[in-house]
Amino acid sequence: MHVVFGVSSLIMLISTVWMLEKDHNREWRRWQMKDRGKERWQHASRLAETSAQSHAALKGLKRQLAEASSSRIDHALIQQVKDFVQAEDARLAGQGAPPKSAEASLATIEKELADLEPLADEAAAAREAVTAAKKSAHDAVNTKLAAQKDPAQRDALPKLTQDSKSRLHELQQKVQQRDKAEQNAGRGRKQLLAAMNKIIGEAKRREDAFTVQKKFVAADHTARVSEHGIAVGEGLPAEQIDKIQVEIDSLAQKMTDLDDQVGNAKDYRVRVETVRREIEKGTTEIEKELAAVQAELNRIADNRDKNSWNVGEWLARRPILNALYDGNIRIEQTWLPDIKINYNFSEVPRYDRCITCHRSIDKTAPGSPVEPAFPALKDKQRQRVVELATPSKEPEIAVSDEGVVQVPTLESVYGLTIAGSGQIDHYAVTVQYVTAKSLAAAAGLQLGDIIREINGGRVYSNDDVEQYLLDNAHWGESLKLTIRRGLGSPYTSHPRLDLYVGSMSPHKKNDMGCTICHDGQGSATDFKWASHTPDNPKEADEWSKKHGWFDNHHWIFPMTPDRFIESNCLKCHHEVAELEPSERFPEPPAPKLVKGYHLIRQYGCFGCHDVNGYDGPTKRIGPDMRLEPNYHEVAAAVLRDNGLTDDERESAATLVHSPEVNSIRHELYQAIRRDAELAEAGNADGQPRLSAASHKLADLLKDVETPGRLRKAGPSLRYIASKVQYPWLYSWIRKPSDFRSSTRMPQFFGLHEHLEKHIKAFPDGQGNPAGLTELEYTRRFERIEILALARFLLNNSSKFDYLNPPAEVTTEPSPERGKWLFESRGCLACHSHREFPGIASTQGPNLSEVSAKFDSESGRRWLYSWIKQPHRYHPRTVMPDLYLNPIVETDPTGQPTGVVTDPVADLVAYLMGVPSDWKPHDVPAETLTADEKLALKDLAAEWLSASFPRKRAERYANEGIPAAQAANIKGDERMLVDLNDENRVAKQLDYVARRSISRYGCFGCHDVPGQEAAKPIGTALTEWGRKEPSKLAFENITKFLSTHGVDDVTEQLDEQAVNEHAGEDHASGAHAGNGHHGVDPLDYDDDTGYYLQALNGHHRQGFIWQKLRQPRSYDYQKTRNKRYDERLRMPLFPLDIEEREAVITFVLGLVNEAPAEKFVYLPDIRQEAIMQGRHVLHKYNCGGCHVLDMERWQFGIEPDWFEEPPIKPEFPFLHSEPSGEEIAKSLELDHRGLLNVTLHGMPVMSEETGQPNLVDEDGVPIEPDDDESEPFYEFTLYRNTVVAGYERKVGVQNLLIPAAHAGGGPKNGREFPANGGDLARYLFPRVIAQEHKTNPQAKGSEAWGWLPPPLIGEGKKVRTEWLHGFLMDPTAIRPAVVLRMPNFHMSSDEASALVNYFAAKDNADWPYEYSERRRDAYLTQLDQAHPEWMDNAMKILTDSNYCTKCHAVGDFFPKGAIKTQGPQLANVYQRLRPTYMRNWTASPSHILPYTGMPVNIPFDPNAPHLGGVNQALFPGTSVDQLDGLVDLLMNYDDYTARQTTIKSMVKESSPAEGGEQAAEAPEPRPDQSASDLPAPALR
Amino acid sequence: MKAIPYFLLSAVIAVFLLAEVDCLLAVEWGSLSGRVVLDGEPPESQPINPTKDQFCMSIGPPNETLLVGKDGGLANVVIYIRVKRGQSLDIHPDYDVQLEQEVVLDNKGCRFVPHIALVRTGQPLVVRNSDPTGHNTNASLAKNGAFNVLIAASQSQNMTLSKAESLPLPVQCNVHPFMKGYMLVRDDPYMTVTDETGAFEITDIPAGTHEFQFWQERIGYLKDCKYDGGQLNRRGRVKLDIQDGEKLDLGEIEVPVSLIK
């Protein structure tokens, strides 16, 4: 028993010790201690740097202080004190008080003053002696050193050595003497000041005594006053009251006297104090500065000490004891009660302990709220080589003030110091700090850089550095230093502290924690248990070796690897649009995710895969990407019904083009329902007019709760026969990229890489059950499928009425004109074309080859109709109506030449005239061969066997389904009822085509007739980011990859390549590595390797990657046991590697885990408007033409670079004054000693190339071969900005900005590109070239006015109602433009979204804006004050010198060149906001720097009437004139309405004859009587 | 020892005082002349095509972008002295009166007169319209900031410019886009435009070495043009030393036609 007890207690003891040991050595402690070491190192370095910097300052200050406190004192000051004392004594004597109090002190002062003088002079002399001695010592030392190196002077050396020694000794003595002399003088000064303080103290005492006395008297006084009050109240006798009053009066007098005494004593004291301060002035200021320097040093030292060891802490850090003490070594965590995590069926608050190891995650660089203190650099960026220049000759030895010889050091020569140890690695040779403006600073060395090699030689210690840099340096030659910069994880800071973690960011550390964005096991404090996820296999390898990392399958939320980190933004940011770059975050917050979102929109993935953002009608769970209700398709299908009434037909036709009009839809639905009820009720109530198909469609017209918003990605196929021919269509379906490599239409057929090419196992239809290989079998059927699809689409096409050229056209189509139209009328904003390589938009298809597509009369006519009115063919197209109406040609002076051209015909002529090599190839004839017929039958049987037993299916396929059974047959099989020899092939084809369409889901992207009711065919992606990997069929995929290789195959998918590939097939195991799954991720590049690893680990990231690049490969070795129709059907999308990753990033973010409501991004009303607007902007590609946001240049610049801006007189309302804060901010220097500048606008473009102009310092373009001139950009501001202390206004001058030497943009900074405006920039040089043909003098910058305008400030400019109408139905505004705003047929909601967007962006009012200038009250008041106001303004408006020179006004149109004409002014009141109109008229270039519009009404504060135009036109000041003009233009409708009379046109009935009526004649109505009064000028 | 600084100081003061009294004591003056000729057959000038205003169409303003006189003399070449940033030239007192004289930039006959206006900072500039139709004057100045003012028929506007420009800069009219002139603004009077024979002269230049700039609107800098005994550099500049009382004549400066854009 004892033994058992003994053993068990021993075991217990051992295990307890073991447990304690384990706990004590937990991993996180190690990380924290390292990080603490790093912190200590940082503080120590900063302390060293600051003390080095302040050393000189401290020394200087101390010297100054010593000098100041040993200097003479001005006699005049002392005389003043004497005068004050005497005056005070006299005053006191006058009052009979004892004077002479300050006698003794005065005597001391006098004595000390007399003594001080020689002492101070002595000190000054001693100082001069030191200066002289220092110089001679310096010379002697350097002479000696020179002699040491010169053998010729060897003899003189002993003497020189002796000399230098004695000189140094002498210097030291002089320094001692100086210090002593200064001390003596200082003592005298101190005594003098002490005597003075005595006087002051005396005065103060007197002052205080009087004050106390006064307090007593005041108390007495108060008591007496209240006594007096009581006496009066009690009605005491008058004499008693008077007595008290006398006392009160005497006390009041006493108080006044004492007040006077206090005042006098205080005055005296203050006067003396002032003198004392004057004497001390020199020293106090220096003392203050000294204290400030010292305080900063102490602060840093404290910080260092906090992170340093001491004995107590060392003890407390021992095992067990450490439980009692944590210091700053402890587990840190963020508790997030509202951000729950799903721990198997229960939602638990998160505890994120990541910051335990990532301690510097929120540290910002000194002086910046968002710049990371420890930037996380990629490995490649960390390794770098710098070039360190050496001094041109050997540095001299210096002698310090104290007479100490100073040998050159790294610091004195290079401004470089090396720390005693490294930050993380103790032995790393690390730069401690670099002095500003030193050689090391010029080389770009930084604090913390690890020096690894110098000139190729390895550096092991600090001594090595001195060896290379000082002892062995070749002066004048530079050295190459290989360094390693920055720190590795976990010592780094978050790279985007502006967005995350930081206190200024929207995702603060304590609110959000870490795992909501990063995933992983937040509670873990060990590397491996935190479920870190490597970003590539190399990292995985390294981690598992270093940290014991493993792929933990049991934690279902492993950390998101770097490449997909943006996925998690989707949890809260459901609209995605808010993740685009913005004013606040110009650096894109989630570029990959946003790219993925747009790719999915463009490729239409949502056509097959549901991405539902709602759980119920209002609850958002993620991004919503669903198809819109297909009302327009239903309406188009209903239109085919011949039974429709005229009203119904009209409703349906309207609905096709405007499906958003609910009232019409409801009407149509009700009408069809009524008819359907007739049918259901039988013949009793009458015959139904409409077909059963129409009745069925009616339900699709019902309202949908929270309808989807996205249009189908592809064009309508409803009228396809009017557009293309069979051979083209066949080729297209077979392989879209064959005709157009850039198409977004995916490839459904010919994806055969996974099929067996050798083993014959499939029936050939000729009775041979194993006559074909998988590949042959598949090809045989695919050919039939494609043929059937093409024929089906052509046969089921509706009739399309082509448009014909208008009659007024006088000329034949011209390809030359067409080419210029194609370039200039906006086509290139959305389409690309190989003849215009300078611009490549992907909104619409590339049109280089269309001549091959439309190579027929009908194709040509279709193209004509399409270009002219795209919505006629496809109501939901985003291709706009470009208003390509006939053009009446004019000569340069604007006169019609009589020629009328048809731009559409010209465009067709051009497009069809560009030759194409493309020909349909390998297209089977439309009529089938016998073999094909056999294959068709087999395919039909294959389809049928899904519904019928195999044998019967084969029979039905051949013979048709017996009519007797027809009633039971639903679906496509009905096509096969009643087959005979005539209709067999046609019916089989029809059946096969319908089945194929259903299977491949063509209707997901296209409007396919007859498929209006079809539902998306793909897997829903709403929660795909959390899909259980066990539900994904990985199965044979690694086998497939190991036998087929992992090369990206998108480029080599045509049949030929596949055939060639077939030969090498199983031999291609080149990449088959030794991994346990067949492929070793380490054999591949980081990206491929990552995905292979994910595939090996059965992670969804790997699954989707392979699915997107080889969608059918998951069928590898499975097709033999599947029916043909059961095979995988996902097509191949032409995505490149980066696009694929972007799409995956988005899909992985679909997790349906919206956190608590307060975390979901809830925009305010303006942000919401901006987001919704962005959706519409993207949809219609507004940025293809217009600049939506100007470029933003952010850079540092020398403080004296910008000159003062020119000052011009400006209207008072245009004047703006930057705030003191703005000015101060614009003058702040950063750590580089540069001003930080952010400009919005664009660089001046070359008129020849359209590229930013590189100019010399005079603004002259630099010739390409000139590499001497310093390059600059001229930058045109589009936003007033305070730069270097002055406000720079738009339209005044371009700023000259030093250019970066490579890659464009500013030096010392970066450019954020403009948002939109590609076409405007592309056309800029081209319209100038065009104009120069007729006018070589044309001003280039004005060309911006002929192009789509930048939409900067649009919200402040236009009225909301006008913009809404304009977007719905754009009208022509500016005659000078080369292209017109097209009509996108957008819905009213979309137009509103854009209106709100622009208003929200500019902080302008919406949805309404109030305009006082148009209100009656304003106008009446104006009219009373100035009856001629409007008439005078009309005089300016119509004067031939001003507005009408260029602008049309009403029925007046100016003559002359079209480029000189401005917008019609009669209706600007509808378009412009009044404030904008006033500001614009006052100074147009302040709004649009390029405008040619001059200042018409000049403002000059020194001129009579403040400048302005001729008083004969409008008497008044220039401000009045401008206001008058704006009032007139804003009320132009009202003003002109009064020029016509309606009264005379209206005939009132005349009273009937007879007195009775006359007697009954009603009273005149008030307005009638008013009309008899003189008409008011206004209203 | 102490006497020397005293002496120096008084000497410096004396020099300043004397300079105040009469600059001529301190500075000496010379002049530069020459003639710019076009070497080769000038390309035919496209006639100006007035596209607006009956008045302008009836006048038909000439094309002044490249005027070649007898013997190839090239008119409207601008010659001026370049001064480094922050430095300035001594100015001969005879030029003082110039600062009081108006420079008129006239819109006359639907062209700018003079075609190239030379303006000194601080000199009164009158932008005038002598035509019976409205013109606007749109000057793309850089250092002074751009201005674009409408001048009604027979009206004018006064202004002064305060900063020197480093180039002649275009002046245009947006109402009549076929009009174009130039304006050069300098701090000093040492600038000129060649006359119809191509000849130019700048007088009373302070003696010393100066960098002269040669520029023409169709050519830009007169790149690498040769004259007797020298050559302009790639930016049409040449450094010349002008001695006191010297009348430096560069002779003929030959401009190859290939430079014309």
Side-chain angles (χ1 to χ4, degrees), chain A residues 4 51 291 297 617 627 712 738 758 878 938 975 1039 1193 1340 1383 1400 1434 1570:
Chain A
V4 172
S51 11
L297 286 174
L627 284 176
K712 287 181 176 176
D738 183 48
H758 301 302
V878 289
D938 286 350
M975 292 297 130
K1039 175 82 175 141
W1193 284 29
N1383 189 340
M1434 196 67 183

PDB file of all heavy atoms in Angstrom, chain A residues 4 51 291 297 617 627 712 738 758 878 938 975 1039 1193 1340 1383 1400 1434 1570:
ATOM      1  N   VAL A   4       2.338   1.718  -3.275  1.00  0.00           N
ATOM      2  CA  VAL A   4       1.372   2.268  -4.238  1.00  0.00           C
ATOM      3  C   VAL A   4       1.203   3.767  -4.012  1.00  0.00           C
ATOM      4  O   VAL A   4       1.267   4.584  -4.923  1.00  0.00           O
ATOM      5  CB  VAL A   4       0.011   1.542  -4.109  1.00  0.00           C
ATOM      6  CG1 VAL A   4      -1.032   2.243  -4.961  1.00  0.00           C
ATOM      7  CG2 VAL A   4       0.163   0.091  -4.502  1.00  0.00           C
ATOM      8  N   SER A  51      18.497  61.545 -28.709  1.00  0.00           N
ATOM      9  CA  SER A  51      19.537  62.191 -27.910  1.00  0.00           C
ATOM     10  C   SER A  51      20.658  62.682 -28.800  1.00  0.00           C
ATOM     11  O   SER A  51      21.215  63.741 -28.538  1.00  0.00           O
ATOM     12  CB  SER A  51      20.111  61.294 -26.802  1.00  0.00           C
ATOM     13  OG  SER A  51      19.704  59.990 -26.939  1.00  0.00           O
ATOM     14  N   ALA A 291      14.088  72.321 -20.890  1.00  0.00           N
ATOM     15  CA  ALA A 291      13.145  71.430 -20.231  1.00  0.00           C
ATOM     16  C   ALA A 291      12.357  70.624 -21.266  1.00  0.00           C
ATOM     17  O   ALA A 291      12.104  69.434 -21.082  1.00  0.00           O
ATOM     18  CB  ALA A 291      12.197  72.245 -19.355  1.00  0.00           C
ATOM     19  N   LEU A 297      13.161  63.405 -24.151  1.00  0.00           N
ATOM     20  CA  LEU A 297      14.107  62.311 -23.919  1.00  0.00           C
ATOM     21  C   LEU A 297      13.594  61.388 -22.820  1.00  0.00           C
ATOM     22  O   LEU A 297      13.635  60.163 -22.933  1.00  0.00           O
ATOM     23  CB  LEU A 297      15.475  62.869 -23.523  1.00  0.00           C
ATOM     24  CG  LEU A 297      16.265  63.495 -24.669  1.00  0.00           C
ATOM     25  CD1 LEU A 297      17.535  64.144 -24.142  1.00  0.00           C
ATOM     26  CD2 LEU A 297      16.618  62.426 -25.702  1.00  0.00           C
ATOM     27  N   PRO A 617     -38.609  38.460 -47.633  1.00  0.00           N
ATOM     28  CA  PRO A 617     -38.743  39.649 -48.479  1.00  0.00           C
ATOM     29  C   PRO A 617     -37.796  40.782 -48.103  1.00  0.00           C
ATOM     30  O   PRO A 617     -37.405  41.565 -48.953  1.00  0.00           O
ATOM     31  CB  PRO A 617     -40.198  40.078 -48.274  1.00  0.00           C
ATOM     32  CG  PRO A 617     -40.690  39.340 -47.075  1.00  0.00           C
ATOM     33  CD  PRO A 617     -39.842  38.125 -46.909  1.00  0.00           C
ATOM     34  N   LEU A 627     -31.692  37.304 -61.665  1.00  0.00           N
ATOM     35  CA  LEU A 627     -32.277  37.797 -62.902  1.00  0.00           C
ATOM     36  C   LEU A 627     -33.525  38.601 -62.594  1.00  0.00           C
ATOM     37  O   LEU A 627     -34.259  38.290 -61.654  1.00  0.00           O
ATOM     38  CB  LEU A 627     -32.662  36.615 -63.793  1.00  0.00           C
ATOM     39  CG  LEU A 627     -31.529  35.914 -64.512  1.00  0.00           C
ATOM     40  CD1 LEU A 627     -32.078  34.708 -65.260  1.00  0.00           C
ATOM     41  CD2 LEU A 627     -30.861  36.870 -65.490  1.00  0.00           C
ATOM     42  N   LYS A 712     -30.461  39.561 -68.443  1.00  0.00           N
ATOM     43  CA  LYS A 712     -29.715  38.428 -68.984  1.00  0.00           C
ATOM     44  C   LYS A 712     -28.485  38.933 -69.726  1.00  0.00           C
ATOM     45  O   LYS A 712     -28.511  39.998 -70.340  1.00  0.00           O
ATOM     46  CB  LYS A 712     -30.616  37.640 -69.934  1.00  0.00           C
ATOM     47  CG  LYS A 712     -31.671  36.844 -69.173  1.00  0.00           C
ATOM     48  CD  LYS A 712     -32.568  36.033 -70.082  1.00  0.00           C
ATOM     49  CE  LYS A 712     -33.516  35.189 -69.242  1.00  0.00           C
ATOM     50  NZ  LYS A 712     -34.478  34.450 -70.065  1.00  0.00           N
ATOM     51  N   ASP A 738     -13.970  30.667 -81.490  1.00  0.00           N
ATOM     52  CA  ASP A 738     -13.408  30.470 -82.821  1.00  0.00           C
ATOM     53  C   ASP A 738     -13.671  31.700 -83.686  1.00  0.00           C
ATOM     54  O   ASP A 738     -12.800  32.146 -84.436  1.00  0.00           O
ATOM     55  CB  ASP A 738     -14.066  29.229 -83.455  1.00  0.00           C
ATOM     56  CG  ASP A 738     -13.472  28.926 -84.811  1.00  0.00           C
ATOM     57  OD1 ASP A 738     -12.233  28.912 -84.901  1.00  0.00           O
ATOM     58  OD2 ASP A 738     -14.240  28.729 -85.766  1.00  0.00           O
ATOM     59  N   HIS A 758      -8.763   6.097 -76.430  1.00  0.00           N
ATOM     60  CA  HIS A 758      -8.280   4.843 -76.996  1.00  0.00           C
ATOM     61  C   HIS A 758      -9.234   3.668 -76.769  1.00  0.00           C
ATOM     62  O   HIS A 758      -9.459   2.873 -77.658  1.00  0.00           O
ATOM     63  CB  HIS A 758      -6.906   4.490 -76.418  1.00  0.00           C
ATOM     64  CG  HIS A 758      -5.905   5.569 -76.702  1.00  0.00           C
ATOM     65  ND1 HIS A 758      -5.604   5.973 -77.971  1.00  0.00           N
ATOM     66  CD2 HIS A 758      -5.164   6.319 -75.867  1.00  0.00           C
ATOM     67  CE1 HIS A 758      -4.704   6.939 -77.914  1.00  0.00           C
ATOM     68  NE2 HIS A 758      -4.429   7.168 -76.644  1.00  0.00           N
ATOM     69  N   VAL A 878     -28.336  46.781 -73.558  1.00  0.00           N
ATOM     70  CA  VAL A 878     -27.820  48.026 -72.997  1.00  0.00           C
ATOM     71  C   VAL A 878     -27.195  48.895 -74.094  1.00  0.00           C
ATOM     72  O   VAL A 878     -26.718  49.981 -73.831  1.00  0.00           O
ATOM     73  CB  VAL A 878     -26.780  47.773 -71.878  1.00  0.00           C
ATOM     74  CG1 VAL A 878     -27.463  47.228 -70.650  1.00  0.00           C
ATOM     75  CG2 VAL A 878     -25.673  46.857 -72.343  1.00  0.00           C
ATOM     76  N   ASP A 938     -30.392   7.899 -82.161  1.00  0.00           N
ATOM     77  CA  ASP A 938     -29.755   7.393 -80.937  1.00  0.00           C
ATOM     78  C   ASP A 938     -29.773   8.439 -79.835  1.00  0.00           C
ATOM     79  O   ASP A 938     -30.003   8.132 -78.664  1.00  0.00           O
ATOM     80  CB  ASP A 938     -28.297   6.997 -81.212  1.00  0.00           C
ATOM     81  CG  ASP A 938     -28.227   5.699 -82.000  1.00  0.00           C
ATOM     82  OD1 ASP A 938     -29.283   5.046 -82.134  1.00  0.00           O
ATOM     83  OD2 ASP A 938     -27.128   5.361 -82.489  1.00  0.00           O
ATOM     84  N   MET A 975     -43.207  16.437 -78.615  1.00  0.00           N
ATOM     85  CA  MET A 975     -42.712  16.665 -79.981  1.00  0.00           C
ATOM     86  C   MET A 975     -42.641  15.355 -80.765  1.00  0.00           C
ATOM     87  O   MET A 975     -42.656  15.348 -81.990  1.00  0.00           O
ATOM     88  CB  MET A 975     -41.285  17.244 -79.930  1.00  0.00           C
ATOM     89  CG  MET A 975     -41.229  18.625 -79.364  1.00  0.00           C
ATOM     90  SD  MET A 975     -42.149  19.740 -80.403  1.00  0.00           S
ATOM     91  CE  MET A 975     -43.161  20.547 -79.169  1.00  0.00           C
ATOM     92  N   LYS A1039      -6.539  12.049 -59.752  1.00  0.00           N
ATOM     93  CA  LYS A1039      -6.070  11.050 -60.715  1.00  0.00           C
ATOM     94  C   LYS A1039      -6.009  11.682 -62.112  1.00  0.00           C
ATOM     95  O   LYS A1039      -5.043  11.519 -62.855  1.00  0.00           O
ATOM     96  CB  LYS A1039      -7.058   9.873 -60.697  1.00  0.00           C
ATOM     97  CG  LYS A1039      -6.793   8.810 -61.728  1.00  0.00           C
ATOM     98  CD  LYS A1039      -5.716   7.846 -61.239  1.00  0.00           C
ATOM     99  CE  LYS A1039      -5.575   6.719 -62.247  1.00  0.00           C
ATOM    100  NZ  LYS A1039      -4.196   6.334 -62.436  1.00  0.00           N
ATOM    101  N   TRP A1193      -3.748  63.075 -57.740  1.00  0.00           N
ATOM    102  CA  TRP A1193      -2.289  62.974 -57.611  1.00  0.00           C
ATOM    103  C   TRP A1193      -1.913  63.321 -56.190  1.00  0.00           C
ATOM    104  O   TRP A1193      -2.281  64.369 -55.678  1.00  0.00           O
ATOM    105  CB  TRP A1193      -1.591  63.938 -58.583  1.00  0.00           C
ATOM    106  CG  TRP A1193      -1.608  63.468 -59.997  1.00  0.00           C
ATOM    107  CD1 TRP A1193      -2.562  62.674 -60.583  1.00  0.00           C
ATOM    108  CD2 TRP A1193      -0.652  63.741 -61.015  1.00  0.00           C
ATOM    109  NE1 TRP A1193      -2.250  62.444 -61.895  1.00  0.00           N
ATOM    110  CE2 TRP A1193      -1.090  63.083 -62.183  1.00  0.00           C
ATOM    111  CE3 TRP A1193       0.520  64.471 -61.049  1.00  0.00           C
ATOM    112  CZ2 TRP A1193      -0.376  63.150 -63.384  1.00  0.00           C
ATOM    113  CZ3 TRP A1193       1.228  64.546 -62.242  1.00  0.00           C
ATOM    114  CH2 TRP A1193       0.781  63.880 -63.393  1.00  0.00           C
ATOM    115  N   GLY A1340      -6.280  73.902 -78.850  1.00  0.00           N
ATOM    116  CA  GLY A1340      -6.404  72.486 -78.512  1.00  0.00           C
ATOM    117  C   GLY A1340      -7.233  72.184 -77.288  1.00  0.00           C
ATOM    118  O   GLY A1340      -8.111  71.336 -77.304  1.00  0.00           O
ATOM    119  N   ASN A1383     -29.584  57.445 -76.161  1.00  0.00           N
ATOM    120  CA  ASN A1383     -30.746  57.084 -75.353  1.00  0.00           C
ATOM    121  C   ASN A1383     -30.645  55.616 -74.952  1.00  0.00           C
ATOM    122  O   ASN A1383     -30.677  54.726 -75.799  1.00  0.00           O
ATOM    123  CB  ASN A1383     -32.021  57.326 -76.172  1.00  0.00           C
ATOM    124  CG  ASN A1383     -33.256  57.180 -75.315  1.00  0.00           C
ATOM    125  OD1 ASN A1383     -33.213  56.566 -74.249  1.00  0.00           O
ATOM    126  ND2 ASN A1383     -34.346  57.761 -75.780  1.00  0.00           N
ATOM    127  N   ALA A1400     -25.879  63.488 -54.718  1.00  0.00           N
ATOM    128  CA  ALA A1400     -25.261  63.030 -53.479  1.00  0.00           C
ATOM    129  C   ALA A1400     -23.765  63.273 -53.510  1.00  0.00           C
ATOM    130  O   ALA A1400     -23.156  63.680 -52.532  1.00  0.00           O
ATOM    131  CB  ALA A1400     -25.549  61.551 -53.269  1.00  0.00           C
ATOM    132  N   MET A1434     -32.436  91.889 -70.798  1.00  0.00           N
ATOM    133  CA  MET A1434     -32.722  91.422 -72.160  1.00  0.00           C
ATOM    134  C   MET A1434     -31.842  92.169 -73.162  1.00  0.00           C
ATOM    135  O   MET A1434     -31.450  91.613 -74.180  1.00  0.00           O
ATOM    136  CB  MET A1434     -34.209  91.637 -72.459  1.00  0.00           C
ATOM    137  CG  MET A1434     -34.699  90.861 -73.653  1.00  0.00           C
ATOM    138  SD  MET A1434     -34.649  89.073 -73.323  1.00  0.00           S
ATOM    139  CE  MET A1434     -35.164  88.433 -74.893  1.00  0.00           C
ATOM    140  N   ALA A1570     -58.806  92.640 -61.470  1.00  0.00           N
ATOM    141  CA  ALA A1570     -57.356  92.852 -61.442  1.00  0.00           C
ATOM    142  C   ALA A1570     -56.828  93.102 -62.839  1.00  0.00           C
ATOM    143  O   ALA A1570     -55.922  93.890 -63.045  1.00  0.00           O
ATOM    144  CB  ALA A1570     -56.655  91.648 -60.833  1.00  0.00           C
TER     145      ALA A1570
END
